[in-house]
Amino acid sequence: MSAGRHRMRSNIHAAGAAAAVGVLAVTAGGYFGYQQLAQSDCSGKIDLAVAVATELAPAVDAAATQWEQDGAAVGGTCIDVTISASEPVEVAATVAAKHGATLAGVGQASGTAVSPDVWVPDSSTWLLRLKTGGATAFDPGNGSSIARSPVVVAMPQPIASQLGWPEKKLSWVSLVQRVNSSKPLKTGIVDPTRDAAGLSGLLSLTTAAASAGKDPQKDTVGALRALATGRSNIRQDLVAKFPTAEDPTTIARSLGAAALSEEDVIEYNSKKPPVPLAALYLEPASIPLDYPYAVLPGIEPAKASAARVLFEVLTHPSFRNRLAAQSLRGPDGNWGDGFTAPPGAPSPAGGTANPPSNGGGAAGALDPGAIERAVSSWSIATQSGRLLCIIDVSGSMTAKVPTANNATRQQVTVAAAQRGLNLFDDSWQIGLWTFSTKLDGDKDYQELVGIGPLSRQRGQLEQALAGVKSSKGDTGLYDTVLAAYKAVQDNWDPAQVNSIVLFTDGKNDDDNGISQADLLAQLKAIRDPQRPVQVVLIGIGSEVNMAELKAITDITGGGPFVTEDPNSIGSIFLKAIALRKSGT
């Protein structure tokens, strides 16, 4: 018999871990129990690398250890499982790099990071974001949930009691009202581009804000800004902002509410803090952490077989009790022996209640469009930059858009720019141009507002956008791109991401302008890696030439985005801004 060995290791960077999970190394030569319990006809070895969300890793490790002690094998071959306790954002960066995806806020993968065979992140939203982020061929196997933790609003118990907790049922709308009141509740969030519980809370809060009052846009932006003031990159930093003393002054000055998982609250309270946290299960229920078991594409058939058997181990009824020891529920929303539920928690211990309406599967109930819009809106509302917005006003922009109640392409584009402008805070520098052919004398472009701080020219930009009208000209794309690039580069700001966002519904159509070859040659000549200017080109309709746009952005950095449906350019605009990088 060839001996297998099971080990658990920490794959968490020091900045992202409260405490690294201990390393467990078991070999047949050094662990008597394994020798006694392993199947006698097991031979060879299949190495299976499994990356698991930190809080779930001990339960998976214990189950895998027991499995190996009982003779883990498939087809007579021994199975050697390595469990890595891993922050989901770090694995997501590795998988994104491997599959060519770009995820706003996630950053670059470590140079030494290796993609696992099986990944169990804390939420199916990670799998969905990878697909919508450009990993079109990313199609992991299985994806079923093996655990669950509701996303709650964590709140110091004295504050929660004032709101009627735990007897009173509270809603996300009521929270939005508190956040946007004259005496706002101090809220915080773990950056939702990097944390699934933060993303779930953001989705619930922005959905509620959109329906809470007479001005949904204002309420949504207000909620985003309120969260941004108390944001943290990692959970441990956020929970450290909760009150550390019982006196009213300390409580009033400390963090008053944050979206966390139920497991986070239980873990926090287990340390007997001076001010315990209440877990508020707001209505409607947020997307829970569902811990999908994702078999990553491209693994060998033997490993895939081993992964299938391990999944059976992790869905055996006995695994629910291992989850309970980690303050986690089973995938159906119920819990095992030893689980200590927070006051007001839904689902009785060991009961047969139906799972929450969000579902226990992977991403079936998730709306990829809503997730993408929430992530993009957050990124824009919490970053700053220096941006020149350019809108095509050629004659074809008067075409009607059936999906937008027959508004023109021009009207739809301007509306998208206006919504984006509302998300930018006063730290941004924004300018506005329009372009066609011979729009300003012999020039194809016209400056409506020069690039400047929004703090002093927001009203001017709003007025200029409202006055944008289509011309009868053609599309002077090449001359405009070159002039815009030079203008942004001339006053390049090292403290900002310097970029151009240009909307157009056609390819270059200017007999008197420069050629494509001239444009590309001049861009190559003036491009300066020390002063990068990213160019984002948003094409609208079927007449746009994607290759033409890509040839430009391959030189400048940024990227082309093309949609057949002009009504979707608002979402594309948000995504394009959110994905800008600090360098090229």
Side-chain angles (χ1 to χ4, degrees):
M1 180 186 75
S2 175
R5 58 192 176 95
H6 171 79
R7 60 199 183 277
M8 176 174 167
R9 62 184 176 84
S10 171
N11 190 35
I12 311 164
H13 292 176
V21 182
V23 177
L24 172 65
V26 180
T27 65
Y31 194 81
F32 180 74
Y34 179 85
Q35 289 180 313
Q36 297 300 307
L37 293 172
Q39 296 176 355
S40 58
D41 58 350
C42 168
S43 61
K45 186 178 70 170
I46 299 172
D47 293 310
L48 188 68
V50 184
V52 184
T54 310
E55 64 274 17
L56 176 61
V60 174
D61 179 68
T65 298
Q66 185 65 56
W67 180 38
E68 289 193 353
Q69 290 174 1
D70 292 343
V74 60
T77 304
C78 304
I79 300 174
D80 178 7
V81 184
T82 300
I83 306 297
S84 299
S86 306
E87 287 296 311
V89 66
E90 295 178 2
V91 182
T94 301
V95 176
K98 181 177 180 180
H99 292 274
T102 303
L103 304 183
V106 167
Q108 300 297 312
S110 166
T112 59
V114 178
S115 180
D117 302 314
V118 177
W119 182 28
V120 188
D122 53 4
S123 172
S124 293
T125 56
W126 287 113
L127 307 180
L128 195 59
R129 286 182 64 193
L130 281 161
K131 290 184 179 181
T132 58
T136 53
F138 178 71
D139 188 20
N142 197 323
S144 295
S145 171
I146 64 169
R148 178 180 291 260
S149 190
V151 172
V152 302
V153 170
M155 186 176 290
Q157 288 186 5
I159 297 177
S161 296
Q162 294 173 9
L163 301 180
W165 169 86
E167 293 81 12
K168 184 179 179 181
K169 285 290 184 182
L170 301 168
S171 69
W172 282 100
V173 170
S174 65
L175 182 64
V176 169
Q177 292 168 345
R178 288 294 303 271
V179 169
N180 288 332
S181 69
S182 58
K183 294 182 179 179
L185 182 68
K186 288 190 175 181
T187 55
I189 194 171
V190 186
D191 188 335
T193 65
R194 302 177 59 82
D195 182 86
L199 175 57
S200 176
L202 177 68
L203 285 165
S204 291
L205 196 68
T206 53
T207 299
S211 61
K214 296 180 180 179
D215 193 340
Q217 176 77 9
K218 181 179 178 181
D219 289 341
T220 300
V221 173
L224 287 171
R225 300 267 164 78
L227 289 174
T229 59
R231 72 183 184 271
S232 298
N233 284 331
I234 59 175
R235 234 168 291 177
Q236 289 71 32
D237 286 350
L238 182 71
V239 298
K241 297 178 182 179
F242 282 115
T244 55
E246 297 176 313
D247 63 282
T249 301
T250 299
I251 292 175
R253 291 177 176 174
S254 302
L255 182 62
L260 294 171
S261 71
E262 180 184 70
E263 182 272 335
D264 287 326
V265 174
I266 297 173
E267 171 65 16
Y268 184 88
N269 288 341
S270 71
K271 298 174 183 176
K272 306 298 181 184
V275 182
L277 295 178
L280 274 57
Y281 300 80
L282 300 189
E283 297 178 339
S286 300
I287 298 171
L289 302 186
D290 64 338
Y291 301 94
Y293 186 89
V295 181
L296 298 188
I299 70 170
E300 302 166 9
K303 290 187 175 185
S305 297
R308 283 193 294 271
V309 182
L310 177 59
F311 176 73
E312 294 176 6
V313 172
L314 300 179
T315 50
H316 188 274
S318 62
F319 188 60
R320 188 185 299 269
N321 292 339
R322 297 192 190 278
L323 293 173
Q326 302 305 129
S327 302
L328 294 167
R329 302 171 180 237
D332 62 356
N334 291 300
W335 53 71
D337 297 340
F339 184 90
T340 303
S347 179
T352 57
N354 292 326
S357 59
N358 310 76
L366 302 177
D367 179 355
I371 290 172
E372 190 168 80
R373 285 191 298 274
V375 169
S376 298
S377 297
W378 169 264
S379 297
I380 293 172
T382 58
Q383 68 182 8
S384 64
R386 182 170 175 269
L387 171 71
L388 176 57
C389 177
I390 308 173
I391 297 177
D392 188 345
V393 292
S394 59
S396 56
M397 289 291 283
T398 60
K400 299 291 182 65
V401 180
T403 56
N405 296 320
N406 283 325
T408 66
R409 291 177 179 176
Q410 192 74 78
Q411 291 168 328
V412 172
T413 302
V414 168
Q418 289 170 328
R419 287 193 298 272
L421 181 62
N422 288 332
L423 285 173
F424 300 137
D425 69 18
D426 285 350
S427 66
W428 282 77
Q429 300 176 50
I430 307 289
L432 177 65
W433 289 12
T434 54
F435 82 102
S436 177
T437 50
K438 295 188 176 180
L439 195 60
D440 182 12
D442 288 333
K443 292 192 299 184
D444 293 342
Y445 49 89
Q446 183 174 29
E447 179 181 279
L448 301 185
V449 181
I451 300 175
L454 269 182
S455 57
R456 72 164 185 254
Q457 62 183 38
R458 185 181 294 272
Q460 187 180 356
L461 281 162
E462 290 172 346
Q463 185 176 5
L465 277 170
V468 169
K469 297 289 189 297
S470 294
S471 72
K472 296 181 180 180
D474 293 319
T475 307
L477 178 64
Y478 295 159
D479 282 353
T480 301
V481 168
L482 182 60
Y485 193 92
K486 290 178 178 178
V488 175
Q489 191 182 56
D490 283 348
N491 295 295
W492 189 84
D493 186 345
Q496 304 277 15
V497 177
N498 295 256
S499 58
I500 297 164
V501 174
L502 181 147
F503 299 89
T504 184
D505 72 339
K507 57 183 179 294
N508 185 72
D509 186 13
D510 180 12
D511 294 337
N512 297 316
I514 61 173
S515 67
Q516 182 185 46
D518 287 339
L519 170 66
L520 300 183
Q522 291 195 53
L523 287 175
K524 286 179 181 178
I526 64 176
R527 178 181 178 272
D528 182 355
Q530 301 304 314
R531 296 188 302 155
V533 176
Q534 297 189 39
V535 179
V536 175
L537 303 176
I538 300 178
I540 311 161
S542 59
E543 298 174 13
V544 175
N545 186 325
M546 181 64 164
E548 179 181 65
L549 302 185
K550 188 174 184 300
I552 296 170
T553 60
D554 280 349
I555 295 172
T556 63
F561 297 80
V562 176
T563 176
E564 291 285 332
D565 180 11
N567 201 37
S568 67
I569 64 172
S571 296
I572 291 176
F573 177 45
L574 296 181
K575 179 179 179 181
I577 297 297
L579 292 178
R580 297 174 319 145
K581 300 176 183 177
S582 59
T584 55

